[in-house]
Structures are given as C-alpha cells and as structure tokens.
Amino acid sequence: MGHLPFAPRKRQRLYDNVEDVLKMHPCFNFKHFKDRAEAMFRWGSDADASDDGPHDGSSSSHSSLEATGMVAGQRAELARAIFFGPPSTTPVSTSKGPSPAKPTLSFFAAVAAAFALGTLVDREVANEEARIHAAAQSEGGAIDDPSTSRPASRRRADVLPAQGKKGKNAQKDAASSPSVLLALSQQALALFEKTSSYDLDFLVTMILHVLYMLHDSKARVAHSLLPDVGKMVNVARTMGLDTDPDEFPGTFNLFDAEARRRLWWDVFYYDLFVSDYMGRSALISDTEHTTRLPMDVDEEVFTPACTSIPLPRSPLSLLEPNVSDFKYFGLKCRCVIT
C-alpha cells in the first residue's frame, strides 16, 4: 500500500480523474467504489497504528535505527495482512469500536488500477499544459494559464510534478507512476486468482486495465488487449454473469444484481468493440446469455442497502441533464445489440 497515494487531497484528485473517464465509459457505481476505497485506507491506517509503539524523541542513534527497522517491519506485516489476511491469533486493530473490514486483494487491485488510470490522466494534463506554454514561449507571446479554467482539483498546482526532478521527489514520483501502479494491480490480481475464487472486483479490475490500455495516448492498441478481453469474457461466464440474477431468486440483493448486469454488459461491449477493432469475431453471441439490460437509477442514492430501485431525478433542462443517472450506459448497451 506504500505505492498508493495516502494524501487525501491527492486521492481526491485521482478520484475526480477516474470519474471523468467513467462518464464516457460507465460501468460500476463509482460513489460506492470510492467509499470502499476510503474504507480500505482507513483500515490500513488502523492496522498500521495498532502496531505502533511509543517513541522517545531523545533516543540515541541506535534506537532511531531500531525504530526505523520496526516501521519497516510494520509495513511488511501490513502488506502480508492485505495479501494473505492477518494471523488468527493477532488482531488487526486493538482500538475500541468497530473497525473497517479488511479489504480483499481483488479490491486492492481495483483501487491500484483506478489510481493508475487517474495518474495517467494527471500526466496527460501536465504534458498538455507544458506543451501549450512551450509553444507560447517559442512564439514570444503570453497566454493565460489554461489550468485556471479547470476545477480546483485539476489546476496546475495540483498536477503531478514535471519530469526532471531529482532526489526523493523523483523517487516518489517514480514509485507512484501509472506504470508502477498498473503493475502493482496486475501482480495483486494474479495472486488473488491463485488463492481465491473470482468475484465482481476481479472483473472491475480487468475492466479498469482495459480502460488504461485504451487511454494510454498511443496510436495503437496494446497486443495484450484482445487476449485480456477474451479472458474477461470467460471469467464472466465462469461467474455466471451470462445468466440474469432474477433466475436465482433470493441469491442477490438489488445492488448486487444490478452490479452483475452492468459488468456483464460492459464485458459484452468490450468483447464486440475490441474484437471488431482487431478484425476478429466476438466471443459472445446474442443468443448465449439471458442477462437483462441494467436499469437506469440514481447513482447518488443507490447503495447495497436499497430495497427498491431509486429512479433517476428529472433533469433541470435539456441542456443540463441529470449527471447522477445511468441512462448513458443503457444507451451504449442498446447500440451493441442493434
């Protein structure tokens, strides 16, 4: 977790970036995803704090080295707790009151993939603004800072530092680079696959990997994209997502049922889109699944606790549509089957 951004301000910026991308590629409920991600960070902080002991500020250099080693040990224990779960005899936290549930490794992989995508967008914003200013300087003119027209969370001061920095800042930037975060997500997902059964977070992570590869600003598609989509299709089938949840009465609540429908239709979409782009036949046939199209809901209030579908609010006007509905996803799915 040391590679993930713990600073709340930086996390919020990356959340905003990912949410912007998902507006054009909607799939899962991002508000619920963000709440779970923040719960994971709280769990990590609680687990780390439970192992912290008192430190004497006036201790000798030997004590300082010993304390440094203890911190490294705590991080190793935290990593083992995330990847394999804490030992049954050792509680994760000794604090009073309920503590956040331990995140699964597949969800950790999903968060790392989301931050990789958000950091990639950050780098693109920084590079584009640097290009604009370089062009303006070469022409000898002056232009307004384009970042001032962006929301506060996306302005120049908040963008990742430019390349060329030295020392600890450069090392920190390299550790939090998009490629490192993506590799971390891929490693975590591979380990989860060997130790656990597939879950919805596994598919969410794979979809985020596809979005990352389609959003890398390159004029080509990565050679691994088609095989990854093929695996995504087979994992979805293995999990039974090609069968509508209503065919299993009492098995799934409303939120989980809609999540399964959304994931299946997103897999269906990328199977057709990527296969057609690569000149191949799609793996999913229109007659091979019974999963209904997901419903249009109000994303802001739709949670696992809902016992009825919250219908979307009426838009203020044709020029100001309701940003919390899920209508675009349904339209995208209908384009796939027509």
Side-chain angles (χ1 to χ4, degrees), residues 20 40 42 57 84 91 97 99 127 137 149 155 176 303 309 312 326:
D20 287 345
M40 183 186 76
R42 289 195 300 272
F84 304 106
S99 59
N127 292 338
Q137 290 176 359
S149 61
R155 290 180 183 170
S176 299
T303 68
I309 295 293
F326 210 64

Side-chain angles (χ1 to χ4, degrees), residues 52 105 153 206 267 277 291 320:
D52 286 342
L105 185 55
S153 61
M206 295 193 73
V267 171
Y277 184 87
T291 306
E320 297 183 25

Side-chain angles (χ1 to χ4, degrees), residues 30-82:
F30 186 74
K31 180 178 181 298
H32 181 62
F33 179 88
K34 178 181 174 182
D35 291 342
R36 291 178 62 199
E38 287 302 296
M40 183 186 76
F41 282 103
R42 289 195 300 272
W43 175 85
S45 298
D46 291 347
D48 199 13
S50 66
D51 294 329
D52 286 342
H55 295 282
D56 185 3
S58 60
S59 58
S60 62
S61 59
H62 175 75
S63 299
S64 299
L65 291 174
E66 187 176 353
T68 303
M70 185 168 61
V71 171
Q74 293 164 3
R75 291 178 178 175
E77 288 297 330
L78 178 59
R80 280 192 289 270
I82 293 175

